[in-house]
Every structure is written in C-alpha cells, then in structure tokens.
C-alpha cells in the first residue's frame, strides 16, 4: 500500500494552486513590466494588478490551474518545480493574449467582475497588448537559450494556433442555426483543451522529457481541458452569479451554443423539440435583449428536461476518466501523480 | 581591382528581388494553406492571391525586399540561399500580421490598391488572421528543430515586440500636437527598422553565423530600414499616386507626423512657423475631411520651404551610409556584399 501522502484524497489542492501562483506571478509581472508604456499599464489592468485609475488592486487573477499544472509537469519529468516556471508564465501570457482579443471580437464587456480592456482602454490597446503578450510568451521561453526551450516554444505555438482556430470556429458557429455535439467538442478542444494540454506538458519538456512522455501529458491536459470546459458550460447556465462573476443564465443571454444546449437539441423528444423552436424564434427576435429572467429560466428548464445538463456533467466525467488514463500511462513519481490526479479531480467538482 | 560582377553597379536588383519572391512564395503559400477555413481564404485575400469574391488574382505582393535580404544574409554566412527561405517566410508572416492589425487599428481602408481585410471580412477576421500569421511565423522556424532555428525565432520575437512598440508610439503620437524628430526616428526604427534588421540577419543565423555577425547584419538592416522609411515618408507626401497606389498627399490627409513634417516644424523660420500654425488649426478643424487639393498642396509647399523634404532625403542618405558601414564590418563573399549593397542602393532611389 502506498504511503498516505501519495493518494489524491490527501493532496492539498489549494496549496498546489497557491504554489503555482506564488512561483509564477513575480516572473509574469517582471515580463509584463518590459512592455513600453502605456501597454504595461493596460496589461497590469487586465491582470487585475491595478484598477482603471491606476491604483494598486488585488484583483481576481483566476484559479491558476495552468501554472499549477506546468510546475507539476516539470516534477513529473523528475525536474524541480522551478523548471516549469518559464513554461507557466508563457502559457499564462498566451492565455491572456487570447482573452484580450476574444473579449474584443465577442464584444464582451465584463471579465472577472471588471470591465474588459477594450471597454476601458479602447480596441487598439486590446489588440496591441494582446499582440505584445503573445510575443512575450515566446521571448520568456526562448531566452532560456536551450534546445528544450525551442521544443517547448514549438508546442506552445501549436497550442496557440489551436486557440485561434477554436475562436474562429466559435465565431462561425454563432451565425449558424445548428451545431453538432462533435463540432462543439472540437471547438472546445481547441479553445480550452489545447492550452491545458500545453500547460500539462511544458514543464516536462523544459525538464528534458522525451516526446512520447510530453505527448501523453498533453493528452492528459487536453481531456482535462475538455472536462474543465464541460463544467464551465454547466456553470455558464446554472452557475451562481456570486461565485462565477457572471450574470444569471450568462451563456443563454449570449446565445452560446455550448454543450448543454447542443446536447439538448440533439437529444430528440418533446423538450428538445420545444427548445429548438424557441431558440430558432429567439435567433430572429428583435426583443431578445429585453428578455426577462423568466424567459431565460424557461429555456434553461427545457435544456435540463431534454437531458442537456446531465449529459454535459457525464461528459465531464468521461473526459476526466480519459485524462486519468493518459496520466497513468506516464512513468512518474507517485507523489506527483497523486497531485496531478487531485488537481484533475478538483477541476470537475469546482463551483466557479 | 575586383572582377566586374562584384561591383554594386553591375548587380541586377530586379533578379535578386525576383529570386527572393520565387523561392519564398511557395513556402509562404503552403504555410498559409495550413490555416483552417475561413482564415485561409482571408489570408489569401490579404496577400493578393485571390480577390474579394475568391477568384484567383495576381495581386501586388509588394517589392519583396525582405525575402531578398533574408536569402542574401544566408549567403553572407556562407550558406546556400535556400537556408534563408524559412527565415524569409517567417519575416513575411510577421510583417503581414502587423499590417492586418495596424490597418484595423488605424482605420485604413486601402492597401496595395485594394480594400483592407477588416473592410472586406470584418474586424474579427483581421484580428484572428493576424494572430494566426504571427503564430505561423514561429511554427515555420521552430519546426526546423535546430538550435539555429531557436536563435532565429528569438530574434524574430524581439523584432515583433519592437514592431508592436512602434505601432503603440505611432498611435500615441497621433494625439499629440508636437513630436520631436528623435521620437519620430525611434518610432520608425521600431516600425520599419526592426523587421528589416531581422530580415537582413535571419538567413545568416539559420546558416550558423555567430551572434557578432548577426548583430552587425541587424545593424545594417536597421539603418537600411530607417533609410527605406525616410524615402517612404517623402513618397507619402510627394509620391506619384499611380506608382505608390496611395492618394495624393496621402500622409497629410492622415495627419501623419512623418519625418518631413516633424523636421519642417523643428526647423524654425517663417515657413516652419506658418506650417505650425496651420497644422495646429487643422487639428481642431471640423472641415479637415473636406479639404481641397489646394489646401494640401499649400501644406506640402510649406513643408518643402521649411526644408522638411530635403532634410528627409538627406536623412535617407545618412542612414544608408551607416548601413553600408555596418555591412562592411562583416566578413563575407564579395559577390554577396555587392548584392546587399546594390539592394541598399535600390531602397534609397526607389519611386514607390
């Protein structure tokens, strides 16, 4: 029987997330400080380090799952967690590059309870600072000057392209009446899976892991990302606004064709058909923006009645299982495996 | 006396530009073909390979100075020109990423005699495809999998950040009444110098040149870029619309604080003062968009009378001289030196 500290139940996930944040944030801030004014200020606002007036803030920097994964992946390859730090920072830079550009393209006015960058500083700054963060990600890795850094950057670049593909798909789906479950999963694999895949392997690559190990860790992260996104899609409709920082029925208000919606539409049966007719009418409606809470609640109830909520929760569990299988195909210290498993478990039970 | 084929006068610059285009375009097109629809189509439109309806076109792809430089820089390091091709392609991808984003930020509706991407395909596609081309640039280099590719990508990333800094400066200067000559040169060094510096060294880096050689070639390209931009600034006011593909007095219409303008304003004297008063009034004017040809001609004449045109032409020659000095500090085959010199000469005498 393994010692107690190697079982996933005994792992302190909060401490793992905190370690990722503590080790990576100073390096991230130093990287962002390299930006020329006013881009440094705009980026600091985006990350929640200052408010719109430039005063120091202690904003909600997110859950920091990615940095925690990057550090653990270094340890999975037998390297110290610090080896993963440039990878954690590069992944965070790419993630935030995509948030800056996506919020502008999608016209989203709020993120993490605050006005988005394009809303506060204008579209040009959102484009420019996004570009600059993307470039910084490559800089942070490549200035390590090692062969491993080149390999890590190549993987990060591939993940970045997937992110961009996913956003392109997301935009094109908005204009379509029907999206299949497969198309939705492909889009979410690009938008969320690819970067979690990179976060879960980049530390190992920097630590000298071979391609096979890195590929398996990527597979773990990819399916973990799909599990993460499935939960996000459930929270996007039924999440508590206090916890998520989003409006009630947030994804329904944005007419997002997220997993619960496409699964409910694909399910067949009376609730599914009624939902389909309502959403088709909504797409043509001029009054959509003035819909009441009740009208969204009706749609959410139909999605649930058609099985969309339950299917998506099950999908999260399915992806979680595949992720753990991939993790278990990699040879690594049992303590690290338990920690990665605990982090994966955390992702599928989170409430925000 | 060196043999005839090594003197810059005897070099066929058109053939050098054509070689750069012929070797790099197929690789560039193959890279762009990797983009997922509809981004591949949008990118093909941007490069002029298809028209807005999707029909094949033989668009004006630009002068292709950068690819020619990248191939010659490989030869400067003793490598075959083909070694520079991935570098040429990566530089072109970064250049076009910046054009896509800058045109959107600046609201420019025309480029190379055609509507810009954001005008035809919308802002979201301009952002997305720009992002994708930027990512592709790293991919094209890093999939070579060599130490040299990592070094080349690091230099390209640094140049990309300078491009972004330059665009940020350009935007901030638009809102200011006065910009100094030094500030204008710094901005142009970032917007034009950095990427020509990279184009002039990236082939050598891929060919295994040491950092000192690469730095000297970067210096050559940087000053060549400043010479190029000075000529561009002259053409932006006094260029023949038929040749440049821009409107008459193009930069004046856009209120650009280009070198002839800032030099004229800094010169002092009656024409300089009169110009200053006119431009200050223009900045507050509501009728600016309905200005006649004559009103722009008056401003252009004042800039010329204050010495702004002559100063900028001299600045192009000064930067050209510094570029050639940097070139001559590098040990390379005399044939290649003559070709790089001829290309540099071409840049400062061009009419478009």
């Amino acid at each position: 029987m393994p010692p107690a500290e190697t079982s996933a139940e005994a792992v302190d996930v909060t401490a793992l997330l905190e370690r990722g944040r503590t080790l990576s944030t100073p390096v991230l801030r130093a990287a962002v400080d390299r930006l020329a004014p006013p881009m440094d200020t705009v980026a600091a606002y985006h990350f929640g380090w200052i408010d719109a007036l430039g005063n120091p803030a202690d904003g909600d920097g997110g859950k920091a799952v990615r940095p925690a994964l990057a550090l653990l992946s270094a340890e999975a390859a037998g390297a110290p967690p610090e080896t993963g730090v440039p990878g954690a920072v590069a992944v965070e830079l790419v993630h935030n590059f995509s948030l800056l550009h996506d919020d502008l393209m999608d016209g989203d006015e709020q993120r993490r309870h605050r006005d988005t960058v394009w809303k506060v500083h204008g579209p040009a700054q959102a484009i420019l600072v996004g570009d600059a963060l993307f470039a910084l990600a490559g800089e942070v890795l490549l200035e390590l000057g090692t062969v491993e850094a080149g390999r890590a950057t190549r993987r990060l670049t591939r993940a970045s392209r997937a992110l961009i593909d996913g956003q392109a798909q997301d935009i094109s789906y908005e204009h379509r009446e029907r999206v299949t479950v497969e198309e939705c999963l492909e889009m979410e694999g690009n938008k969320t899976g690819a970067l979690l895949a990179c976060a879960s392997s980049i530390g190992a690559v920097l630590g000298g892991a071979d391609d096979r190990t890195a590929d398996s860790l990527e597979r773990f992260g990819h399916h973990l990302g799909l599990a993460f996104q499935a939960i996000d899609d459930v929270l996007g409709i039924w999440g508590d606004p206090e916890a998520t920082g989003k409006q009630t029925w947030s994804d329904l208000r944005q007419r997002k064709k997220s997993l619960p919606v496409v699964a409910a539409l694909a399910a067949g049966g009376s609730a599914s058909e009624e939902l389909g007719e309502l959403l088709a009418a909504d797409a043509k409606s001029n009054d959509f923006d003035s819909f009441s809470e009740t009208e969204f609640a009706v749609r959410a109830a139909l999605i649930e009645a058609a099985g969309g909520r339950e299917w998506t929760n099950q999908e999260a569990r399915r992806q979680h299982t595949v992720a753990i299988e991939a993790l278990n195909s990699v040879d690594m210290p049992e303590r690290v495996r338990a920690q990665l498993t605990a982090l994966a478990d955390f992702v599928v039970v989170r409430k925000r």
Side-chain angles (χ1 to χ4, degrees), chain A:
Chain A
M1 196 189 139
E5 67 268 28
T6 66
S7 91
E9 292 76 21
V11 175
D12 182 350
V13 170
T14 310
L16 281 179
L17 294 172
E18 187 54 35
R19 181 184 73 166
R21 229 183 261 116
T22 305
L23 288 180
S24 65
T25 304
V27 181
L28 179 64
R29 292 189 77 142
V32 168
D33 274 347
R34 293 188 206 171
L35 299 182
M39 292 187 285
D40 53 350
T41 309
V42 175
Y45 171 77
H46 169 77
F47 282 105
W49 303 330
I50 57 173
D51 65 21
L53 300 171
N55 299 314
D58 188 20
D60 176 6
K63 290 167 286 296
V65 170
R66 290 175 200 81
L69 285 169
L71 269 51
L72 284 170
S73 93
E75 293 186 280
E82 288 75 11
T83 301
V85 168
V89 171
V91 166
E92 282 305 276
L93 288 167
V94 168
H95 176 56
N96 285 282
F97 136 73
S98 80
L99 295 182
L100 279 161
H101 284 189
D102 290 1
D103 283 343
L104 173 60
M105 286 184 255
D106 300 340
D108 288 342
E109 301 187 357
Q110 289 267 315
R111 168 164 307 278
R112 298 172 190 153
H113 304 257
R114 308 159 71 232
D115 284 344
T116 46
V117 162
W118 71 266
K119 190 88 179 138
V120 177
H121 295 282
Q125 287 299 325
I127 297 172
L128 270 178
V129 175
D131 292 345
L133 295 185
F134 194 14
L136 265 184
E139 250 177 81
V140 163
L141 286 175
L142 290 168
E143 64 197 13
L144 295 172
T146 61
V147 176
E148 289 75 24
R151 289 174 56 220
T153 311
R154 187 177 168 195
R155 283 178 185 264
L156 180 63
T157 306
R158 198 166 59 198
S160 307
R161 279 243 289 127
L163 269 184
I164 297 162
D165 284 352
Q167 171 68 3
Q169 289 166 328
D170 203 5
I171 289 175
S172 79
Y173 293 172
E174 272 171 33
H175 304 294
R176 281 170 41 184
E177 202 168 310
R178 281 275 165 133
V179 174
T180 67
V181 171
E182 290 69 30
E183 286 172 328
C184 188
L185 285 172
E186 193 194 326
M187 184 264 282
E188 296 191 343
N190 282 329
K191 274 196 92 160
T192 310
L195 202 58
L196 254 92
C198 192
S200 302
S201 59
I202 198 164
V205 174
L206 292 173
D210 60 23
D211 277 339
R212 209 184 131 182
T213 301
D215 288 346
S216 297
L217 287 169
E218 276 201 0
R219 209 156 55 244
F220 161 71
H222 179 81
H223 292 286
L224 183 60
L226 281 166
F228 182 96
Q229 189 58 52
I231 297 296
D232 229 48
D233 283 359
V234 171
L235 294 173
I237 299 179
W238 296 279
D240 175 3
E242 278 292 308
T244 61
K246 298 174 179 174
Q247 283 185 287
T248 54
W249 325 115
S250 169
D251 285 357
L252 297 182
R253 289 176 197 276
Q254 293 185 56
R255 310 186 204 217
K256 267 201 194 163
K257 295 185 182 69
S258 64
L259 276 182
V261 179
V262 297
L265 290 172
S270 63
S272 173
E273 280 166 28
E274 196 181 331
L275 178 72
E277 285 161 22
L278 266 182
L279 296 186
D282 290 354
K284 294 173 193 134
S285 164
N286 296 319
D287 303 327
F288 187 82
D289 291 336
S290 61
F291 271 20
S292 68
E293 289 288 302
T294 315
E295 281 162 305
F296 290 118
V298 166
R299 283 149 186 78
L302 283 171
I303 294 168
E304 189 154 2
R309 184 177 187 169
E310 181 50 27
W311 186 90
T312 307
N313 276 321
Q314 280 178 9
E315 178 65 13
R317 287 191 288 273
R318 279 190 294 273
Q319 296 290 351
H320 175 270
T321 303
V322 181
I324 298 298
E325 283 167 8
L327 185 67
N328 288 337
S329 76
V330 183
D331 191 29
M332 69 176 74
E334 286 311 313
R335 178 188 56 81
V336 179
R337 189 189 311 282
Q339 290 175 324
L340 284 166
T341 305
L343 210 51
D345 294 348
F346 162 78
V347 158
V348 291
V349 298
R350 74 203 164 87
K351 299 283 181 219
R352 68 171 196 124

